[in-house]
Amino acid sequence: MRRLSVLVVEDEDLARERLARLVRARPEFDVVAVCRNCDEAAAAVATQRVDLALLDIQMPGTDGIGFSRMLAASREPAPSVIFVTAHRRYACTAFEIEADDYLLKPFDSARLHRALDAAQRRLQEREALSLVERVQAALTGTVGALAAPIDARPGRFVVREHGRFLIVRCEEIRWIEADGRDCILHCAKADHRVDGPFADIAQRLAGEGFVQVNRSALVRIDAVASFEEMFKGNLVAILRGGGEVPVSRRFRSLVMQRLAG
């Protein structure tokens, strides 16, 4: 991941130098500006990207709370904020405006590093989500809220696995099963987990060569080699390449209609 850009705003000279020194000791962070007040900080953020701001609260002129609100209103996405202050009384306000952390002076370096670690994780998660949305938009030609499951067009899914985004086309899927709130795409080479609900996926794939065979499973019709009749009128779908999926009596007629069609 890229290095995260950090802004330090602190009116006390020694405290400001210490904060900047501790952050610079972390190779994954890049201190892009060290400021004595919020006027200097506003000039700094106007010309460069800032991912994380370490802000004192009580300072001459605009205070840290007001400056954080300005950042949130003027930047999309807004930088994460860690407040660094000697005063307890602003804690509730800080968390009401969704600050990442609230460091009460005096604090040791370990406490600061824990706050940096947590902020880094949240920023990484936010960037990962943004990347998913860009992938989706590129595939669909639309921009909007992230769908569940992460899907592109009806004929394919985008799944995130081990830091990669994989495109799974419907013709690669042999069958799909509900697993709690998720669904599992069973493919010839691997299985992939996506967000449900199952009913939405079943509706979405109704015209894509899939048929529901029981209350928690879909099969791709072209992946079925044969059906075997079982006890009390139930069927079992025998899949090409191996595997079986039960067909309940409730869905037997639907399956037969789809096969005939």
Side-chain angles (χ1 to χ4, degrees), residues 139 155-157 167-173 187 210 220:
L139 291 170
R156 59 197 180 205
F157 293 84
I167 298 174
V168 179
R169 303 183 187 282
C170 284
E171 57 265 29
E172 301 173 48
I173 303 169
C187 303
F210 285 79
R220 185 168 59 84

Side-chain angles (χ1 to χ4, degrees), residues 7 26 28 38 56 58 71 80 94 113 115 130 148 159 163 171 188 206 212 227:
L7 167 71
R26 301 280 299 267
E28 65 270 40
C38 293
D56 191 7
Q58 280 199 335
L71 283 177
S80 295
H113 288 310
S130 175
V159 298
E171 57 265 29
Q212 188 168 352
F227 289 93

Side-chain angles (χ1 to χ4, degrees), residues 178-201:
D179 184 31
R181 296 184 179 180
D182 298 337
C183 289
I184 300 174
L185 312 179
H186 293 279
C187 303
K189 295 182 179 179
D191 297 337
H192 307 284
R193 183 176 292 273
V194 296
D195 293 339
F198 175 78
D200 289 353
I201 292 180

Side-chain angles (χ1 to χ4, degrees), residues 50-182:
V50 172
D51 299 304
L52 173 63
L54 274 67
L55 302 179
D56 191 7
I57 292 182
Q58 280 199 335
M59 291 180 287
T62 304
D63 65 10
I65 297 287
F67 183 69
S68 70
R69 288 186 169 127
M70 182 273 288
L71 283 177
S74 62
R75 291 298 184 95
E76 181 57 43
S80 295
V81 171
I82 297 174
F83 286 112
V84 181
T85 180
H87 305 282
R88 296 178 182 273
R89 63 180 179 271
Y90 301 109
C92 289
T93 302
F95 289 110
E96 284 173 4
I97 60 176
E98 299 182 346
D100 273 39
D101 212 330
Y102 192 89
L103 273 62
L104 194 63
K105 300 176 184 177
F107 56 87
D108 59 19
S109 60
R111 175 67 179 90
L112 174 63
H113 288 310
R114 288 197 298 274
L116 292 173
D117 288 341
Q120 182 184 36
R121 286 194 298 272
R122 283 187 283 271
L123 285 164
Q124 288 173 336
E125 291 168 358
R126 188 170 74 185
E127 290 201 347
L129 179 60
S130 175
L131 179 57
V132 170
E133 291 173 334
R134 292 198 300 273
V135 169
Q136 182 189 18
L139 291 170
T140 62
T142 61
V143 178
L146 191 62
I150 300 167
D151 63 283
R153 293 173 182 164
R156 59 197 180 205
F157 293 84
V158 178
V159 298
R160 183 173 184 236
E161 292 184 359
H162 309 299
R164 298 184 302 158
F165 295 92
L166 307 177
I167 298 174
V168 179
R169 303 183 187 282
C170 284
E171 57 265 29
E172 301 173 48
I173 303 169
R174 301 169 72 232
W175 68 288
I176 300 171
E177 69 172 321
D179 184 31
R181 296 184 179 180
D182 298 337

